[in-house]
């Protein structure tokens, strides 16, 4: 089973500043990596797939990068509505499909 | 637009059973793999089960294998999760999610979830 590890657990960023979230896989997942956003009381929403492709309707301030075992989600200019938990997921080697434990982004 | 609507959650005693449903609309249900994912209170996301477009292949997380059964009714555009021998640690919000393809890809749409509480 591929273990996904996210850091940091919590990130506090001022509005307009850049937020950088990290995700590491225990073995290579190529570019088969997705990022999801989950706001309190809501379902997860797909942000990024293929490590760097934005899903439909996702603002350009969200970008993903990386391949192999190291990945990054960047929010270039944080907005108040970006306060949420963010999860990475690998879909390279399954079952199981595995998620990171999440990073909570707070607005400072 | 794609919609996934779960139902069937509730309170059940340990050892009990529950069947969840997920009604899909806005896409050709029979062409896509489907998943169940759960989230315990205050915790992260855990994949639970997968079924291929035609129901020919099914996979389960080790934590539910032998207790949960995933199925689908393509004529009814409905995904199911039969949960038996429930444990307190199964308490969670259960989401159905659409696979981008037949299976083995990311999850492009999610339902709003249904809460399952296992408690005496």
């Amino acid at each position: 089973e591929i273990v996904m590890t996210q850091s940091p657990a919590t990130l506090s960023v001022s509005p307009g500043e850049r937020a950088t979230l990290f995700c590491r896989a225990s073995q290579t997942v190529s570019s088969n990596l997705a990022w999801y956003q989950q706001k309190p009381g809501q379902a997860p929403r797909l942000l990024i797939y293929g490590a760097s492709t934005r899903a439909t309707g996702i603002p350009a301030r969200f970008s993903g990068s990386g391949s192999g075992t190291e990945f990054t989600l960047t929010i270039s200019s944080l907005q108040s509505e970006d306060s949420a938990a963010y999860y990475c997921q690998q879909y390279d080697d399954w079952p199981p499909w595995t998620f990171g434990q999440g990073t909570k982004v707070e607005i400072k | 637009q794609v919609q996934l609507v779960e139902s069937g959650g509730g309170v059940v005693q340990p050892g009990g059973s529950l069947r969840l449903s997920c009604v899909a609309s806005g896409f050709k249900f029979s062409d896509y793999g489907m998943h169940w994912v759960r989230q315990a209170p205050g915790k992260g996301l855990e994949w639970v089960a997968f079924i291929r477009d035609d129901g020919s292949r099914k996979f389960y997380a080790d934590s539910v294998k032998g207790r949960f059964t995933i199925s689908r009714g393509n004529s009814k555009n409905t995904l199911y999760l039969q949960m038996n021998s429930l444990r307190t640690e199964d308490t969670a919000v259960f989401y159905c999610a659409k696979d981008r393809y037949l299976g083995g890809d990311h999850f492009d749409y999610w339902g709003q979830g249904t809460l399952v509480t296992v408690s005496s």
Side-chain angles (χ1 to χ4, degrees):
Chain A
E1 171 177 331
I2 296 178
V3 176
M4 307 301 292
T5 303
Q6 291 185 241
S7 61
T10 305
L11 189 59
S12 185
V13 179
S14 299
E17 295 295 303
R18 177 186 299 260
T20 304
L21 290 67
F22 301 96
C23 175
R24 173 176 291 175
S26 60
Q27 64 191 70
T28 182
V29 298
S30 185
S31 294
N32 296 314
L33 189 285
W35 290 93
Y36 301 89
Q37 176 193 64
Q38 187 180 34
K39 297 181 180 180
Q42 296 186 17
R45 175 176 74 148
L46 176 67
L47 289 179
I48 301 283
Y49 62 92
S52 60
T53 302
R54 275 190 304 277
T56 304
I58 301 303
R61 64 180 182 274
F62 291 92
S63 63
S65 64
S67 67
T69 62
E70 303 284 340
F71 301 88
T72 302
L73 174 69
T74 301
I75 311 172
S76 61
S77 177
L78 197 74
Q79 308 295 306
S80 57
E81 61 264 32
D82 300 333
S83 177
Y86 293 83
Y87 295 92
C88 63
Q89 178 214 23
Q90 69 82 20
Y91 51 95
D92 185 74
D93 185 21
W94 46 268
W97 288 257
T98 50
F99 295 89
Q101 78 278 22
T103 290
K104 184 177 181 181
V105 173
E106 298 175 341
I107 309 299
K108 196 182 286 184
Chain B
Q1 70 283 17
V2 172
Q3 274 201 306
L4 299 169
V5 180
E6 302 94 336
S7 62
V11 180
V12 61
Q13 291 188 338
S17 298
L18 215 52
R19 187 174 89 152
L20 306 183
S21 300
C22 169
V23 176
S25 61
F27 66 102
K28 192 175 180 185
F29 182 70
S30 59
D31 280 357
Y32 294 91
M34 296 293 296
H35 301 263
W36 286 100
V37 178
R38 68 183 178 182
Q39 186 171 37
K43 303 297 184 182
L45 302 170
E46 178 189 18
W47 170 79
V48 171
F50 164 77
I51 186 168
R52 256 204 67 152
D53 57 326
D54 59 1
S56 61
R57 298 193 79 184
K58 304 176 184 181
F59 297 112
Y60 299 92
D62 287 346
S63 58
V64 307
K65 203 171 293 183
R67 300 188 299 123
F68 290 10
T69 302
I70 190 171
S71 62
R72 62 191 298 160
N74 284 348
S75 63
K76 296 183 178 181
N77 290 343
T78 304
L79 176 72
Y80 303 99
L81 185 68
Q82 177 67 42
M83 305 186 295
N84 298 331
S85 303
L86 282 162
R87 305 167 180 168
T88 55
E89 56 264 36
D90 293 320
T91 294
V93 174
F94 283 74
Y95 298 100
C96 65
K98 173 186 168 292
D99 196 279
R100 190 188 183 200
Y101 294 118
L102 301 175
D105 214 284
H106 62 273
F107 307 167
D108 55 0
Y109 292 95
W110 299 62
Q112 281 304 302
T114 187
L115 175 62
V116 172
T117 302
V118 185
S119 174
S120 54

